Amino acid sequence: MSGNVNSLLVPRLRFPEFGDAGEWRQTELGNEATILKGKGIAKSDIVPDGVLPCIRYGELYTHYNEIINLVISRTNLPANNLFLSIFGDVIIPSSGETKLDIAKASCVLLNGVALGGDLNVIRSAINGSFLSYYLNGPQKYNIAEVAQGDTVVHLYSSQLKKLSLAYPTSSEQKKIADCLSSLDERIAAEANKLDTLKVHKNGLMQQLFPAEGQTIPRLRFPEFRLTLWPKRRLSTLLLKLVRPVSVDPNRMYQEIGIRSHGRGVFHKEPVSGITLGDKRVFWVEEDALVVNIVFAWEQAVSVTSAKEKGLIASHRFPMYKPYDNRADVKFFKYFFLTKKGKELLGIASPGGAGRNKTLGQSEFAKLEFLSPENVAEQTAIANALSSLDDLITAQTHKIDLLKRHKQGLMQQLFPVLDEDPA
């Protein structure tokens, strides 16, 4: 590929074989495409063993990206009462919750798929995959701008027809589409690896902790097979930390928060001491078990790291350290992320749903459950699961980088119509 610095309507980045192909044709979408409408398919019409593949508009937000070559839903509705796809059709929602969300296009690379109501169907001679990437790239915000409504957003065919469009020759369209779809395939492959790691971790946790009605786990490290897992009260293993902060009005402080479902610690924006006022806050210690008492029932549990040293936490985030070297806090974090751990957090969080289900700290301290008598076994279990978490984090970061690379590539492979000449 080569960059382009002239004033023609061409992308910044272009494949070498198209360097002399001239500028892209500019027009309105309505001049190049017929915009049709899908026909209603209710959620109740979806059946696992249906004879006809179908797509409902909500699935564009949850299941599909720019290219659809495998359909997840099926129906038994009569085909002659439905709108069926032609290979290369581009679909985009005609209603949604936000203006930016509604600007979501997908190309259906299949014939005979029933396309549900609330779907605009763009049918043209332009390469559908190319058009789908184009609409999700430089045109996404332009589509969002013409969508109408607040609580429910609508996108009408009359608005889509007026959308500015630029496209090259069919061979260059295909080259761009193939480039981006190959990147999508790489992202999908890496996402499958991530899912495999998560499934493996979930299965390992089920084996490293005792099953319901059992007193030891199914899987143990050989050196600990003769040691016991007694039932003990949490207060005999962990000690609550209380290091109150004498707030200096002229100093800046940074609080922590804890995400639900074991998704870890996050750092809030720094605030001044005068902003904190009379709020009760405490110094965060490294390697401490920390619980969000408001969402403990959602497994808002984590362990602090060196990154949290010197930060503060409100009274809603009590912290615990091992009592007399009897415990490994990382082991207890992982325990509370198990099914049994979640059950106990719920027992210690009486009340109704949501913010009314607050963890009682005295009830938390009284919880009793099985844990390895040997702290070294606790550490071995925690290390095994922590190493998997490191792999999951690295794989997640890898996917994020690929997605950012894709977004950057899309910005360069398509010209910006109102861009000033370089």
Side-chain angles (χ1 to χ4, degrees):
M1 296 182 194
S2 60
N4 188 289
V5 293
N6 62 36
S7 59
L8 297 175
L9 183 60
V10 293
R12 296 190 191 95
L13 193 63
R14 205 167 191 186
F15 293 94
E17 59 266 42
F18 302 108
D20 297 325
E23 63 182 321
W24 289 23
R25 170 177 166 79
Q26 184 173 356
T27 184
E28 290 184 349
L29 183 59
N31 294 331
E32 303 295 331
T34 301
I35 301 177
L36 308 165
K37 190 78 182 292
K39 290 188 178 180
I41 302 172
K43 188 175 182 180
S44 58
D45 295 325
I46 305 298
V47 291
D49 57 349
V51 297
L52 187 66
C54 62
I55 299 172
R56 301 180 70 244
Y57 89 99
E59 294 170 348
L60 266 63
Y61 302 122
T62 57
H63 290 92
Y64 298 120
N65 294 313
E66 284 90 350
I67 305 296
I68 300 176
N69 47 31
L70 181 66
V71 177
I72 61 165
S73 297
R74 305 187 77 84
T75 184
N76 281 327
L77 291 173
N80 56 2
N81 291 338
L82 298 172
F83 184 99
L84 302 182
S85 70
I86 294 177
F87 184 96
D89 279 347
V90 175
I91 54 177
I92 186 168
S94 59
S95 65
E97 293 184 358
T98 71
K99 292 183 177 181
L100 198 56
D101 283 344
I102 205 173
K104 176 76 168 64
S106 296
C107 176
V108 184
L109 296 180
L110 297 163
N111 288 308
V113 177
L115 304 178
D118 280 340
L119 282 176
N120 290 302
V121 183
I122 304 171
R123 187 168 287 175
S124 73
I126 296 173
N127 182 297
S129 299
F130 167 87
L131 184 57
S132 177
Y133 285 115
Y134 181 80
L135 296 177
N136 284 319
Q139 289 293 2
K140 186 175 183 69
Y141 291 96
N142 293 331
I143 294 172
E145 284 180 4
V146 299
Q148 297 180 356
D150 295 314
T151 305
V152 178
V153 180
H154 296 284
L155 182 63
Y156 300 105
S157 61
S158 58
Q159 298 161 331
L160 283 172
K161 287 177 181 178
K162 295 178 182 178
L163 191 69
S164 293
L165 173 72
Y167 64 92
T169 62
S170 58
S171 56
E172 189 171 359
Q173 293 173 36
K174 185 178 185 303
K175 187 78 172 183
I176 292 170
D178 288 347
C179 171
L180 292 171
S181 64
S182 66
L183 187 53
D184 274 341
E185 289 171 4
R186 171 76 186 280
I187 292 170
E190 297 298 340
N192 286 336
K193 291 180 184 178
L194 178 61
D195 290 341
T196 300
L197 285 170
K198 290 179 177 179
V199 169
H200 176 55
K201 177 190 170 184
N202 184 57
L204 192 59
M205 287 183 70
Q206 291 178 25
Q207 296 185 74
L208 288 173
F209 292 91
E212 191 68 36
Q214 301 297 311
T215 57
I216 57 172
R218 292 194 297 273
L219 183 64
R220 299 190 76 179
F221 295 93
E223 62 269 34
F224 304 116
R225 282 178 181 162
L226 299 179
T227 59
L228 302 175
W229 279 56
K231 179 177 281 190
R232 294 175 289 181
R233 183 171 286 194
L234 189 69
S235 60
T236 66
L237 301 169
L238 299 178
L239 180 68
K240 184 180 176 183
L241 300 173
V242 182
R243 289 184 58 210
V245 179
S246 297
V247 177
D248 180 348
N250 299 313
R251 179 176 170 178
M252 298 298 292
Y253 297 91
Q254 191 168 15
E255 290 187 78
I256 66 166
I258 310 297
R259 298 182 182 91
S260 296
H261 311 297
R263 290 183 292 122
V265 179
F266 67 93
H267 299 174
K268 300 181 182 180
E269 291 296 320
V271 296
S272 65
I274 197 167
T275 301
L276 288 171
D278 296 329
K279 183 177 180 179
R280 288 190 297 140
V281 290
F282 304 85
W283 292 113
V284 175
E285 288 200 20
E286 183 180 350
D287 294 325
L289 181 74
V290 58
V291 185
N292 179 342
I293 64 172
V294 178
F295 292 107
W297 59 279
E298 277 191 339
Q299 297 173 298
V301 181
S302 192
V303 170
T304 58
S305 69
K307 296 177 182 178
E308 283 73 60
K309 192 173 182 180
L311 274 57
I312 62 173
S314 78
H315 68 283
R316 292 190 176 92
F317 303 97
M319 288 165 281
Y320 301 85
K321 280 272 196 174
Y323 180 74
D324 207 18
N325 295 319
R326 298 177 190 175
D328 186 311
V329 289
K330 290 182 180 178
F331 168 85
F332 287 89
K333 177 194 77 170
Y334 285 114
F335 167 74
F336 284 117
L337 296 180
T338 66
K339 181 180 178 181
K340 182 65 178 179
K342 183 177 183 180
E343 176 189 325
L344 292 178
L345 288 171
I347 290 172
S349 304
R355 293 182 179 271
N356 294 324
K357 287 176 64 68
T358 302
L359 180 77
Q361 294 181 51
S362 60
E363 287 82 0
F364 181 65
K366 293 175 184 176
L367 292 177
E368 293 185 344
F369 51 90
L370 300 167
S371 63
E373 188 175 47
N374 191 329
V375 178
E377 185 175 4
Q378 296 179 23
T379 301
I381 292 170
N383 287 345
L385 294 171
S386 182
S387 65
L388 267 177
D389 275 340
D390 290 343
L391 290 173
I392 289 170
T393 299
Q395 187 66 15
T396 301
H397 180 62
K398 186 176 185 179
I399 293 169
D400 289 341
L401 286 176
L402 285 169
K403 288 180 177 178
R404 286 201 291 271
H405 173 59
K406 175 188 171 183
Q407 290 302 315
L409 194 57
M410 287 173 72
Q411 290 175 13
Q412 297 184 76
L413 286 174
F414 299 101
V416 179
L417 299 183
D418 58 352
E419 185 182 47
D420 291 331

